[in-house]
Amino acid sequence: MKVLVIGGGAREHALCRSLSLDPDVTALHCAPGNAGIAEVAELHGVNALDGAAVAELAAGLQADLVIVGPEAPLVAGVADAVRDRGIPVFGPSAQAAQLEGSKAFAKDVMATAAVPTARSYVCTTPAEVEVALDAFGAPYVVKDDGLAAGKGVVVTEDVEAARAHALACDRVVIEEFLDGPEVSLFAVTDGETVVPLQPAQDFKRAYDGDQGPNTGGMGAYSPLPWADPKLVDEVMATVLQPTVDELRRRGTPFSGLLYAGLAITSRGVRVIEFNARFGDPETQVVLARLRTPLAGLLHAAATGTLATLPPLRWSDGAAVTVVIASHNYPDTPRTGDPIDGLADVAEQDGPKAYVLHAGTRRDDSGAVLSAGGRVLSVTATGSDLTTARQRAYRAVGRISLDGSQHRTDIAAKVADEAAEAQGA
């Protein structure tokens, strides 16, 4: 199978890494990729948002499968352009991707499908914003209706900050605050059959102790030892399958990766948001635990044959990923700084710990430089969360990037709790 992956972040590096280990993959390509992806795939300098160019590249490569990684190309219709050329593509149509592209659209789908979610108002005027803020009170949850690279959501006790964010958006969704821990659950679907992956938890705040601004994600872990064993079955029955069925009923079937961001509240599971693609950094830990070859799974979704696939196989162990971000992230990050220590991780920690590139590039001399806000995802596996976490942070300690930042508490609380429970 010849596979083309679209995108250039750590999510795409995780996908390419898994695909490179799949014996069914005979050729692996990525556009535009990054410095790390170049080690496992052939890179192509194609604009990921240009559907015609991506489709032309796929046809020229005689690709058997195209995987569209990021949300922006999906909302822009890149999957449609590839599908129109008769090439199997993993990723929803532009219409179906509105599930992520518009918070208001997602709320409408959930209301029709009776999917449990937060009560909300869709606001387009200052007067509507005031009504919604008054209705729910603090803490205020204000979401930009459109794509915002994981940074369009403000959760704050400060009404002025909430109002300012709302008024800066053309259209905004203001909703009730959902208590309880958050869970990310991915599902692969061909528009009818839905196959859930293993749940993960990410850390969205920039700093330790869940302090600081929201980011695209500073780390993640899987599995979730504290979660109800019936959680996946419940979410399948109340969220994932009803959503897929509703989109098919509307004539816009969703084929690809459906990501449910969930809150486990005192009143039960509630959907915080949907995404139309693999999440970053959760993909890094979920794929680290997946034993079923990835290409066959995604090809089955792209060709409508998921129902024929045997059950997925998973490792019994755990995975942890820690994001290393540039100076000043999530505000305007500093880029162009050299990254050292990558070879040390490969030599001393591999294959149990490895580095996935997000915002990186090579200069003319071959040195790897920072080229974005989130620069690297250091991922590790182990027999349990404590072991995986120790390996991840040992590898983080070998990497040098001037001014960089990372959280030191990824999976710390749950690893300690799991160790205590085992000891008891």
mmCIF file with all atom_site columns, all heavy atoms in Angstrom, residues 6-22:
data_model
loop_
_atom_site.group_PDB
_atom_site.id
_atom_site.type_symbol
_atom_site.label_atom_id
_atom_site.label_alt_id
_atom_site.label_comp_id
_atom_site.label_asym_id
_atom_site.label_entity_id
_atom_site.label_seq_id
_atom_site.pdbx_PDB_ins_code
_atom_site.Cartn_x
_atom_site.Cartn_y
_atom_site.Cartn_z
_atom_site.occupancy
_atom_site.B_iso_or_equiv
_atom_site.pdbx_formal_charge
_atom_site.auth_seq_id
_atom_site.auth_comp_id
_atom_site.auth_asym_id
_atom_site.auth_atom_id
_atom_site.pdbx_PDB_model_num
ATOM 1   N N   . ILE A 1 6  ? -1.154 13.987 4.858  1.00 0.00 ? 6  ILE A N   1
ATOM 2   C CA  . ILE A 1 6  ? -1.177 15.437 4.685  1.00 0.00 ? 6  ILE A CA  1
ATOM 3   C C   . ILE A 1 6  ? -1.064 16.105 6.050  1.00 0.00 ? 6  ILE A C   1
ATOM 4   O O   . ILE A 1 6  ? -1.853 15.820 6.961  1.00 0.00 ? 6  ILE A O   1
ATOM 5   C CB  . ILE A 1 6  ? -2.476 15.892 3.980  1.00 0.00 ? 6  ILE A CB  1
ATOM 6   C CG1 . ILE A 1 6  ? -2.625 15.175 2.638  1.00 0.00 ? 6  ILE A CG1 1
ATOM 7   C CG2 . ILE A 1 6  ? -2.479 17.400 3.800  1.00 0.00 ? 6  ILE A CG2 1
ATOM 8   C CD1 . ILE A 1 6  ? -1.480 15.371 1.667  1.00 0.00 ? 6  ILE A CD1 1
ATOM 9   N N   . GLY A 1 7  ? -0.080 17.005 6.193  1.00 0.00 ? 7  GLY A N   1
ATOM 10  C CA  . GLY A 1 7  ? 0.110  17.722 7.447  1.00 0.00 ? 7  GLY A CA  1
ATOM 11  C C   . GLY A 1 7  ? 1.576  17.754 7.826  1.00 0.00 ? 7  GLY A C   1
ATOM 12  O O   . GLY A 1 7  ? 2.423  17.147 7.158  1.00 0.00 ? 7  GLY A O   1
ATOM 13  N N   . GLY A 1 8  ? 1.882  18.450 8.909  1.00 0.00 ? 8  GLY A N   1
ATOM 14  C CA  . GLY A 1 8  ? 3.284  18.584 9.281  1.00 0.00 ? 8  GLY A CA  1
ATOM 15  C C   . GLY A 1 8  ? 3.521  18.747 10.764 1.00 0.00 ? 8  GLY A C   1
ATOM 16  O O   . GLY A 1 8  ? 4.525  19.323 11.179 1.00 0.00 ? 8  GLY A O   1
ATOM 17  N N   . GLY A 1 9  ? 2.615  18.222 11.597 1.00 0.00 ? 9  GLY A N   1
ATOM 18  C CA  . GLY A 1 9  ? 2.761  18.354 13.041 1.00 0.00 ? 9  GLY A CA  1
ATOM 19  C C   . GLY A 1 9  ? 3.115  17.038 13.711 1.00 0.00 ? 9  GLY A C   1
ATOM 20  O O   . GLY A 1 9  ? 3.394  16.034 13.044 1.00 0.00 ? 9  GLY A O   1
ATOM 21  N N   . ALA A 1 10 ? 3.093  17.043 15.055 1.00 0.00 ? 10 ALA A N   1
ATOM 22  C CA  . ALA A 1 10 ? 3.424  15.828 15.803 1.00 0.00 ? 10 ALA A CA  1
ATOM 23  C C   . ALA A 1 10 ? 2.379  14.747 15.579 1.00 0.00 ? 10 ALA A C   1
ATOM 24  O O   . ALA A 1 10 ? 2.707  13.552 15.612 1.00 0.00 ? 10 ALA A O   1
ATOM 25  C CB  . ALA A 1 10 ? 3.546  16.156 17.296 1.00 0.00 ? 10 ALA A CB  1
ATOM 26  N N   . ARG A 1 11 ? 1.117  15.138 15.372 1.00 0.00 ? 11 ARG A N   1
ATOM 27  C CA  . ARG A 1 11 ? 0.066  14.158 15.058 1.00 0.00 ? 11 ARG A CA  1
ATOM 28  C C   . ARG A 1 11 ? 0.442  13.398 13.778 1.00 0.00 ? 11 ARG A C   1
ATOM 29  O O   . ARG A 1 11 ? 0.371  12.168 13.712 1.00 0.00 ? 11 ARG A O   1
ATOM 30  C CB  . ARG A 1 11 ? -1.268 14.864 14.874 1.00 0.00 ? 11 ARG A CB  1
ATOM 31  C CG  . ARG A 1 11 ? -2.324 14.056 14.137 1.00 0.00 ? 11 ARG A CG  1
ATOM 32  C CD  . ARG A 1 11 ? -3.563 14.878 13.820 1.00 0.00 ? 11 ARG A CD  1
ATOM 33  N NE  . ARG A 1 11 ? -3.194 16.176 13.309 1.00 0.00 ? 11 ARG A NE  1
ATOM 34  C CZ  . ARG A 1 11 ? -3.723 17.328 13.746 1.00 0.00 ? 11 ARG A CZ  1
ATOM 35  N NH1 . ARG A 1 11 ? -4.657 17.332 14.665 1.00 0.00 ? 11 ARG A NH1 1
ATOM 36  N NH2 . ARG A 1 11 ? -3.327 18.476 13.243 1.00 0.00 ? 11 ARG A NH2 1
ATOM 37  N N   . GLU A 1 12 ? 0.861  14.146 12.742 1.00 0.00 ? 12 GLU A N   1
ATOM 38  C CA  . GLU A 1 12 ? 1.233  13.504 11.483 1.00 0.00 ? 12 GLU A CA  1
ATOM 39  C C   . GLU A 1 12 ? 2.514  12.678 11.629 1.00 0.00 ? 12 GLU A C   1
ATOM 40  O O   . GLU A 1 12 ? 2.649  11.622 10.994 1.00 0.00 ? 12 GLU A O   1
ATOM 41  C CB  . GLU A 1 12 ? 1.394  14.556 10.378 1.00 0.00 ? 12 GLU A CB  1
ATOM 42  C CG  . GLU A 1 12 ? 0.067  15.132 9.916  1.00 0.00 ? 12 GLU A CG  1
ATOM 43  C CD  . GLU A 1 12 ? -0.533 16.131 10.903 1.00 0.00 ? 12 GLU A CD  1
ATOM 44  O OE1 . GLU A 1 12 ? 0.234  16.893 11.529 1.00 0.00 ? 12 GLU A OE1 1
ATOM 45  O OE2 . GLU A 1 12 ? -1.768 16.141 11.045 1.00 0.00 ? 12 GLU A OE2 1
ATOM 46  N N   . HIS A 1 13 ? 3.439  13.125 12.482 1.00 0.00 ? 13 HIS A N   1
ATOM 47  C CA  . HIS A 1 13 ? 4.641  12.322 12.723 1.00 0.00 ? 13 HIS A CA  1
ATOM 48  C C   . HIS A 1 13 ? 4.254  11.011 13.407 1.00 0.00 ? 13 HIS A C   1
ATOM 49  O O   . HIS A 1 13 ? 4.788  9.943  13.071 1.00 0.00 ? 13 HIS A O   1
ATOM 50  C CB  . HIS A 1 13 ? 5.652  13.099 13.567 1.00 0.00 ? 13 HIS A CB  1
ATOM 51  C CG  . HIS A 1 13 ? 7.019  12.471 13.574 1.00 0.00 ? 13 HIS A CG  1
ATOM 52  N ND1 . HIS A 1 13 ? 8.094  13.037 14.226 1.00 0.00 ? 13 HIS A ND1 1
ATOM 53  C CD2 . HIS A 1 13 ? 7.495  11.327 13.022 1.00 0.00 ? 13 HIS A CD2 1
ATOM 54  C CE1 . HIS A 1 13 ? 9.159  12.276 14.072 1.00 0.00 ? 13 HIS A CE1 1
ATOM 55  N NE2 . HIS A 1 13 ? 8.823  11.226 13.353 1.00 0.00 ? 13 HIS A NE2 1
ATOM 56  N N   . ALA A 1 14 ? 3.321  11.077 14.365 1.00 0.00 ? 14 ALA A N   1
ATOM 57  C CA  . ALA A 1 14 ? 2.854  9.856  15.036 1.00 0.00 ? 14 ALA A CA  1
ATOM 58  C C   . ALA A 1 14 ? 2.198  8.909  14.026 1.00 0.00 ? 14 ALA A C   1
ATOM 59  O O   . ALA A 1 14 ? 2.425  7.689  14.054 1.00 0.00 ? 14 ALA A O   1
ATOM 60  C CB  . ALA A 1 14 ? 1.878  10.210 16.155 1.00 0.00 ? 14 ALA A CB  1
ATOM 61  N N   . LEU A 1 15 ? 1.370  9.472  13.131 1.00 0.00 ? 15 LEU A N   1
ATOM 62  C CA  . LEU A 1 15 ? 0.740  8.650  12.092 1.00 0.00 ? 15 LEU A CA  1
ATOM 63  C C   . LEU A 1 15 ? 1.795  8.024  11.184 1.00 0.00 ? 15 LEU A C   1
ATOM 64  O O   . LEU A 1 15 ? 1.761  6.821  10.892 1.00 0.00 ? 15 LEU A O   1
ATOM 65  C CB  . LEU A 1 15 ? -0.223 9.502  11.266 1.00 0.00 ? 15 LEU A CB  1
ATOM 66  C CG  . LEU A 1 15 ? -1.524 9.930  11.962 1.00 0.00 ? 15 LEU A CG  1
ATOM 67  C CD1 . LEU A 1 15 ? -2.193 11.067 11.198 1.00 0.00 ? 15 LEU A CD1 1
ATOM 68  C CD2 . LEU A 1 15 ? -2.476 8.747  12.094 1.00 0.00 ? 15 LEU A CD2 1
ATOM 69  N N   . CYS A 1 16 ? 2.755  8.845  10.741 1.00 0.00 ? 16 CYS A N   1
ATOM 70  C CA  . CYS A 1 16 ? 3.797  8.338  9.846  1.00 0.00 ? 16 CYS A CA  1
ATOM 71  C C   . CYS A 1 16 ? 4.667  7.290  10.531 1.00 0.00 ? 16 CYS A C   1
ATOM 72  O O   . CYS A 1 16 ? 5.076  6.301  9.903  1.00 0.00 ? 16 CYS A O   1
ATOM 73  C CB  . CYS A 1 16 ? 4.651  9.493  9.328  1.00 0.00 ? 16 CYS A CB  1
ATOM 74  S SG  . CYS A 1 16 ? 3.837  10.500 8.070  1.00 0.00 ? 16 CYS A SG  1
ATOM 75  N N   . ARG A 1 17 ? 4.952  7.499  11.805 1.00 0.00 ? 17 ARG A N   1
ATOM 76  C CA  . ARG A 1 17 ? 5.757  6.510  12.533 1.00 0.00 ? 17 ARG A CA  1
ATOM 77  C C   . ARG A 1 17 ? 5.044  5.169  12.568 1.00 0.00 ? 17 ARG A C   1
ATOM 78  O O   . ARG A 1 17 ? 5.651  4.123  12.281 1.00 0.00 ? 17 ARG A O   1
ATOM 79  C CB  . ARG A 1 17 ? 6.038  6.992  13.955 1.00 0.00 ? 17 ARG A CB  1
ATOM 80  C CG  . ARG A 1 17 ? 6.859  6.009  14.780 1.00 0.00 ? 17 ARG A CG  1
ATOM 81  C CD  . ARG A 1 17 ? 7.081  6.493  16.200 1.00 0.00 ? 17 ARG A CD  1
ATOM 82  N NE  . ARG A 1 17 ? 7.917  5.550  16.945 1.00 0.00 ? 17 ARG A NE  1
ATOM 83  C CZ  . ARG A 1 17 ? 7.437  4.481  17.581 1.00 0.00 ? 17 ARG A CZ  1
ATOM 84  N NH1 . ARG A 1 17 ? 6.131  4.237  17.593 1.00 0.00 ? 17 ARG A NH1 1
ATOM 85  N NH2 . ARG A 1 17 ? 8.256  3.654  18.207 1.00 0.00 ? 17 ARG A NH2 1
ATOM 86  N N   . SER A 1 18 ? 3.752  5.171  12.914 1.00 0.00 ? 18 SER A N   1
ATOM 87  C CA  . SER A 1 18 ? 2.993  3.917  12.963 1.00 0.00 ? 18 SER A CA  1
ATOM 88  C C   . SER A 1 18 ? 2.896  3.280  11.582 1.00 0.00 ? 18 SER A C   1
ATOM 89  O O   . SER A 1 18 ? 3.023  2.058  11.435 1.00 0.00 ? 18 SER A O   1
ATOM 90  C CB  . SER A 1 18 ? 1.591  4.166  13.522 1.00 0.00 ? 18 SER A CB  1
ATOM 91  O OG  . SER A 1 18 ? 1.646  4.500  14.893 1.00 0.00 ? 18 SER A OG  1
ATOM 92  N N   . LEU A 1 19 ? 2.682  4.098  10.562 1.00 0.00 ? 19 LEU A N   1
ATOM 93  C CA  . LEU A 1 19 ? 2.583  3.575  9.193  1.00 0.00 ? 19 LEU A CA  1
ATOM 94  C C   . LEU A 1 19 ? 3.923  2.997  8.726  1.00 0.00 ? 19 LEU A C   1
ATOM 95  O O   . LEU A 1 19 ? 3.962  1.996  8.003  1.00 0.00 ? 19 LEU A O   1
ATOM 96  C CB  . LEU A 1 19 ? 2.124  4.676  8.245  1.00 0.00 ? 19 LEU A CB  1
ATOM 97  C CG  . LEU A 1 19 ? 0.671  5.143  8.431  1.00 0.00 ? 19 LEU A CG  1
ATOM 98  C CD1 . LEU A 1 19 ? 0.448  6.475  7.726  1.00 0.00 ? 19 LEU A CD1 1
ATOM 99  C CD2 . LEU A 1 19 ? -0.314 4.088  7.931  1.00 0.00 ? 19 LEU A CD2 1
ATOM 100 N N   . SER A 1 20 ? 5.026  3.618  9.150  1.00 0.00 ? 20 SER A N   1
ATOM 101 C CA  . SER A 1 20 ? 6.343  3.132  8.741  1.00 0.00 ? 20 SER A CA  1
ATOM 102 C C   . SER A 1 20 ? 6.652  1.763  9.342  1.00 0.00 ? 20 SER A C   1
ATOM 103 O O   . SER A 1 20 ? 7.497  1.025  8.823  1.00 0.00 ? 20 SER A O   1
ATOM 104 C CB  . SER A 1 20 ? 7.430  4.138  9.141  1.00 0.00 ? 20 SER A CB  1
ATOM 105 O OG  . SER A 1 20 ? 7.654  4.126  10.547 1.00 0.00 ? 20 SER A OG  1
ATOM 106 N N   . LEU A 1 21 ? 5.990  1.435  10.446 1.00 0.00 ? 21 LEU A N   1
ATOM 107 C CA  . LEU A 1 21 ? 6.176  0.140  11.109 1.00 0.00 ? 21 LEU A CA  1
ATOM 108 C C   . LEU A 1 21 ? 5.202  -0.915 10.602 1.00 0.00 ? 21 LEU A C   1
ATOM 109 O O   . LEU A 1 21 ? 5.260  -2.075 11.026 1.00 0.00 ? 21 LEU A O   1
ATOM 110 C CB  . LEU A 1 21 ? 6.016  0.305  12.629 1.00 0.00 ? 21 LEU A CB  1
ATOM 111 C CG  . LEU A 1 21 ? 6.993  1.272  13.305 1.00 0.00 ? 21 LEU A CG  1
ATOM 112 C CD1 . LEU A 1 21 ? 6.623  1.472  14.769 1.00 0.00 ? 21 LEU A CD1 1
ATOM 113 C CD2 . LEU A 1 21 ? 8.424  0.770  13.178 1.00 0.00 ? 21 LEU A CD2 1
ATOM 114 N N   . ASP A 1 22 ? 4.292  -0.525 9.708  1.00 0.00 ? 22 ASP A N   1
ATOM 115 C CA  . ASP A 1 22 ? 3.253  -1.410 9.182  1.00 0.00 ? 22 ASP A CA  1
ATOM 116 C C   . ASP A 1 22 ? 3.811  -2.148 7.969  1.00 0.00 ? 22 ASP A C   1
ATOM 117 O O   . ASP A 1 22 ? 4.163  -1.518 6.969  1.00 0.00 ? 22 ASP A O   1
ATOM 118 C CB  . ASP A 1 22 ? 2.030  -0.565 8.786  1.00 0.00 ? 22 ASP A CB  1
ATOM 119 C CG  . ASP A 1 22 ? 0.831  -1.407 8.384  1.00 0.00 ? 22 ASP A CG  1
ATOM 120 O OD1 . ASP A 1 22 ? 1.033  -2.545 7.904  1.00 0.00 ? 22 ASP A OD1 1
ATOM 121 O OD2 . ASP A 1 22 ? -0.304 -0.927 8.525  1.00 0.00 ? 22 ASP A OD2 1
#
